[in-house]
């Protein structure tokens, strides 16, 4: 049972990191929300300038981008550049955690099964149980986060920054770092809701996958 719990948690972490990576890196979400969230009108900039600089930031945060961060239209302070460098490392960790956690979960299940007879049958059964735990985590954990978001997202937003970063470089001054004018807190609230939706959809897909495994030729 302990192996099943560990693997289920690892699969959930992989899905959580995948959801964060996909939501944050999907520029189309920001493009769609920039006007409904009044990001463009409140920034006093044109849509082209806002989207160009946002896209450049997301491109920089990719683990595959090797250049320095220089915004096309905005100046940046040293503290802001340092923060975005830390953010890039954080996103790279999320990106790497997806395959590493998934493979680690599979390895744990394989390790439990390899000494026994009918290894494939045992592995499939344990995999199915792990997916059940992962599916439940994809339901309960997001609802817990969603409850916190609705109660006081501002407090959660600041708390997460204090946990993830060991400095105050994430506190921007719009006078020296105008990039903050196009990254309002309400946009990140939308991102949080989208991550919750992603995980709930993942739970539904995992349920269908478990049904498929049960109906497979391998007896579970």
């Amino acid at each position: 049972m302990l192996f099943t719990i560990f693997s289920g948690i690892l699969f959930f972490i992989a899905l959580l990191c995948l959801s964060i990576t996909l939501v944050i890196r999907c520029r189309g979400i920001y493009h769609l929300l920039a006007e409904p969230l009044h990001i463009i009108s409140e920034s006093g900039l044109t849509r082209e300038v806002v989207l160009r600089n946002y896209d450049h930031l997301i491109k920089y945060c990719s683990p595959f981008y090797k250049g320095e961060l220089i915004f096309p239209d905005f100046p940046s302070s040293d503290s802001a550049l340092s923060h975005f460098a830390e953010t890039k490392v954080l996103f790279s960790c999320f990106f790497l955690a997806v395959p590493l956690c998934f493979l680690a979960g599979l390895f744990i299940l394989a390790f439990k099964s390899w000494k026994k007879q009918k290894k494939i049958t045992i592995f499939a059964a344990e995999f199915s149980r792990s997916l059940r735990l992962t599916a439940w985590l994809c339901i309960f954990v997001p609802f817990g986060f969603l409850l916190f978001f609705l109660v006081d997202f501002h407090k959660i937003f600041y708390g997460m920054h204090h946990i993830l970063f060991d400095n105050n470089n994430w506190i921007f001054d719009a006078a020296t770092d105008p990039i903050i004018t196009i990254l309002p807190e309400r946009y990140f609230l939308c991102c949080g809701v989208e991550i919750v939706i992603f995980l709930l959809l993942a739970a539904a897909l995992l349920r269908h996958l478990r049904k498929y495994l049960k109906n497979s030729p391998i007896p579970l």
Side-chain angles (χ1 to χ4, degrees), residues 16-98:
L16 177 60
C17 291
L18 177 62
S19 67
I20 294 172
T21 301
L22 292 179
V23 169
I24 298 299
R25 282 187 49 78
C26 183
R27 305 176 195 178
I29 295 176
Y30 185 89
H31 289 202
L32 289 174
L33 294 177
E35 288 180 315
L37 293 178
H38 307 292
I39 295 174
I40 295 174
S41 60
E42 291 184 4
S43 69
L45 303 168
T46 65
R47 176 180 174 85
E48 290 72 19
V49 169
V50 170
L51 299 185
R52 179 166 61 241
N53 286 272
Y54 177 82
D55 289 349
H56 189 75
L57 175 60
I58 297 303
K59 181 180 178 181
Y60 167 78
C61 288
S62 169
F64 304 106
Y65 185 82
K66 303 301 181 183
E68 298 181 355
L69 176 58
I70 302 176
F71 290 106
D73 305 284
F74 297 152
S76 295
S77 65
D78 291 338
S79 61
L81 293 176
S82 176
H83 171 69
F84 286 129
E86 291 177 317
T87 302
K88 178 182 175 69
V89 172
L90 187 63
F91 285 160
S92 297
C93 290
F94 289 148
F95 181 84
L96 291 175
V98 176

Side-chain angles (χ1 to χ4, degrees), residues 41 48 57 59 63 75 92 115 122 146 152 180-181 207 209:
S41 60
E48 290 72 19
L57 175 60
K59 181 180 178 181
S92 297
K115 285 187 177 181
I122 294 173
L146 186 59
D152 193 344
I180 195 61
T181 62
R207 180 183 178 185
L209 179 58

Side-chain angles (χ1 to χ4, degrees), residues 33-213:
L33 294 177
E35 288 180 315
L37 293 178
H38 307 292
I39 295 174
I40 295 174
S41 60
E42 291 184 4
S43 69
L45 303 168
T46 65
R47 176 180 174 85
E48 290 72 19
V49 169
V50 170
L51 299 185
R52 179 166 61 241
N53 286 272
Y54 177 82
D55 289 349
H56 189 75
L57 175 60
I58 297 303
K59 181 180 178 181
Y60 167 78
C61 288
S62 169
F64 304 106
Y65 185 82
K66 303 301 181 183
E68 298 181 355
L69 176 58
I70 302 176
F71 290 106
D73 305 284
F74 297 152
S76 295
S77 65
D78 291 338
S79 61
L81 293 176
S82 176
H83 171 69
F84 286 129
E86 291 177 317
T87 302
K88 178 182 175 69
V89 172
L90 187 63
F91 285 160
S92 297
C93 290
F94 289 148
F95 181 84
L96 291 175
V98 176
L100 290 180
C101 288
F102 181 73
L103 292 175
L106 291 179
F107 176 80
I108 289 174
L109 296 179
F111 178 78
K112 181 178 181 180
S113 307
W114 77 282
K115 285 187 177 181
K116 299 180 180 181
Q117 295 180 347
K118 298 182 179 180
K119 298 180 180 63
I120 296 178
T121 301
I122 294 173
F123 176 84
E126 292 297 332
F127 184 55
S128 179
R129 295 189 188 100
S130 295
L131 292 183
R132 180 173 58 188
L133 174 60
T134 303
W136 282 115
L137 289 173
C138 285
I139 294 174
F140 286 114
V141 174
F143 270 121
F145 277 115
L146 186 59
L147 181 61
F148 284 122
F149 291 165
L150 296 177
V151 171
D152 193 344
F153 179 75
H154 178 77
K155 187 175 181 179
I156 296 297
F157 186 70
Y158 271 65
M160 289 179 63
H161 277 79
H162 282 297
I163 293 172
L164 296 173
F165 304 102
D166 61 356
N167 53 58
N168 291 325
N169 290 339
W170 54 274
I171 301 177
F172 286 19
D173 183 348
T176 56
D177 294 294
I179 183 66
I180 195 61
T181 62
I182 68 171
L183 296 172
E185 191 175 298
R186 59 185 176 274
Y187 170 67
F188 293 101
L189 172 59
C190 291
C191 289
V193 173
E194 289 156 10
I195 290 170
V196 168
I197 293 173
F198 179 96
L199 291 174
L200 293 176
L201 291 174
L205 290 175
L206 290 175
R207 180 183 178 185
H208 286 292
L209 179 58
R210 290 193 68 242
K211 286 184 178 180
Y212 172 78
L213 291 174

